[in-house]
């Protein structure tokens, strides 16, 4: 559905007419731009917008179907950018992502949002308070949305870092509990990081191109040159996020390896204990087995003290074995 439609000129907002074509003509004649916001529009709703603004059919298809990677595509009459805002749910420790598509053209910006996360109301309110930024034209919409999305990435990365510290404490705490539950949590955490990387990693080339840095530098149509310093700031923040995600991924892999090593050590300890008890059981079994063979001519067979002597010998040998295994840490 259509969430908002407004014309911005000289950093001020004015309500746009209901007809999109009239809104675009009015914005161009006044030297401003029109911003239309949509949330999960139907094909009929978006066809009207696409026809009025001359949006490319391939970009329109991507905007309707969603499930796109972050990217930047340049068409003859517009610029198409896909962003993936990320939402972190602390109760379930899960990361989920939505999508924001932005069409940028001559005196217009169209934003299409999929998913419940990252609403653009706060972005629009912030932008309307910064009249100097609005003076950059429709480019300011793309910057404000990208800045809000990447700043939230930083917040999510901080939350994941906190969760990882808790997971490390659980793994390296003596008597940590169920090893299967811990391994499951580590694996689930790694999946959340992978979901996070799918949103942040592919966004680097588009932000570098908008910022004009590195191998992706160069003029981008429909983006004002004066906006490049703003996009460089977003690119710097995104670089920090990607470095943080890489660090989290390496750490969680190390935590999983450490956990598996601890499980192996614990299993070895258990096997040593079992082996020690089995060795202690062999001695009385052997002695009892010898005296249970029912031979007629055996030493001490008719001796009155043979039974207590044999039992005592068993006890002494068991005590010697126990002290030896205890000293070596097997019990």
């Amino acid at each position: 559905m259509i969430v908002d439609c407004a014309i911005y000129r000289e950093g001020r907002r004015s309500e746009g007419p209901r007809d999109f074509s009239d809104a675009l003509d009015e914005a161009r004649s006044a030297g401003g731009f029109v911003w239309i916001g949509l949330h999960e529009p139907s094909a009929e709703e978006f066809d009207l917008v696409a026809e009025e603004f001359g949006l490319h059919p391939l970009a329109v298809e991507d905007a309707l179907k969603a499930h796109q990677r972050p990217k930047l595509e340049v068409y003859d009459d517009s610029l198409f950018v896909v962003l993936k805002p990320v939402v972190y749910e602390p109760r379930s420790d899960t990361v989920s992502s939505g999508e924001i598509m932005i069409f940028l053209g001559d005196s217009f910006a169209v934003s299409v949002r999929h998913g419940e996360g990252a609403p653009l109301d706060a972005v629009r309110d912030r932008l309307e308070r910064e009249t100097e930024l609005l003076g950059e034209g429709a480019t300011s919409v793309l910057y404000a949305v990208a800045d809000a999305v990447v700043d939230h990435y930083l917040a999510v990365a901080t939350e994941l870092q906190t969760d990882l510290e808790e997971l490390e404490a659980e793994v390296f705490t003596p008597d940590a509990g169920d090893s299967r539950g811990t391994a499951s949590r580590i694996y689930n955490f790694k999946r959340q990081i992978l979901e996070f990387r799918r949103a942040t990693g592919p966004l680097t080339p588009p932000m570098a191109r908008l910022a004009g840095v590195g191998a992706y530098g160069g003029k981008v149509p429909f983006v004002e040159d004066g906006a490049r310093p703003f996009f460089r700031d977003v690119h710097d923040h995104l670089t920090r996020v990607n470095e943080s995600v890489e660090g989290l991924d390496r750490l969680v892999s190390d935590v999983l390896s450490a956990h598996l090593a601890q499980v192996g050590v614990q299993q070895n300890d258990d096997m040593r204990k079992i082996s020690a008890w089995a060795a202690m059981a062999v001695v009385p079994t052997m002695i009892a087995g010898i005296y249970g063979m029912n031979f007629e001519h055996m030493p001490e067979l008719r001796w009155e003290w043979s039974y207590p002597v044999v039992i005592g010998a068993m006890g002494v040998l068991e005590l010697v074995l126990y002290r030896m295994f205890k000293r070596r840490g097997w019990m």
Side-chain angles (χ1 to χ4, degrees), residues 137-164:
T139 307
S140 62
V141 175
L142 177 57
Y143 160 71
V145 174
D147 185 54
V149 169
V150 173
D151 282 349
H152 193 63
Y153 286 165
L154 290 169
V156 172
T158 301
E159 294 285 351
L160 289 174
Q161 181 66 44
T162 301
D163 283 352
L164 181 58

Side-chain angles (χ1 to χ4, degrees), residues 60-71:
V60 171
E61 182 181 358
D62 289 345
L64 286 174
K65 291 184 177 180
H67 303 294
Q68 304 297 316
R69 297 175 74 249
K71 61 182 179 179

Side-chain angles (χ1 to χ4, degrees), residues 62-63 65-73 80-85 97-102 153 194-195 197-206 216:
D62 289 345
K65 291 184 177 180
H67 303 294
Q68 304 297 316
R69 297 175 74 249
K71 61 182 179 179
L72 184 153
E73 295 180 350
F80 181 58
V81 180
V82 179
L83 305 168
K84 292 184 75 69
S97 61
E99 289 184 44
I100 297 177
M101 288 85 164
I102 299 177
Y153 286 165
L194 178 60
E195 180 70 21
R197 292 182 69 173
R198 287 172 179 165
T200 63
L203 187 58
T204 300
Y216 301 98

Side-chain angles (χ1 to χ4, degrees), residues 18-81:
R18 292 182 179 273
D19 187 87
F20 296 144
S21 180
D22 293 342
L24 184 58
D25 292 339
E26 183 179 336
R28 285 173 175 169
S29 63
F33 69 94
V34 60
W35 180 7
I36 298 175
L38 302 100
H39 178 230
E40 297 182 355
S42 64
E44 293 76 12
E45 289 175 331
F46 202 65
D47 283 345
L48 178 61
V49 177
E51 182 180 354
E52 293 292 347
F53 291 95
L55 305 180
H56 196 280
L58 292 177
V60 171
E61 182 181 358
D62 289 345
L64 286 174
K65 291 184 177 180
H67 303 294
Q68 304 297 316
R69 297 175 74 249
K71 61 182 179 179
L72 184 153
E73 295 180 350
V74 179
Y75 297 100
D76 293 336
D77 299 323
S78 63
L79 184 72
F80 181 58
V81 180

Side-chain angles (χ1 to χ4, degrees), residues 255-268:
V255 169
L256 180 58
S257 298
H259 174 66
L260 294 177
Q262 284 184 327
V263 171
V265 170
Q266 182 62 44
Q267 289 176 342
N268 287 337

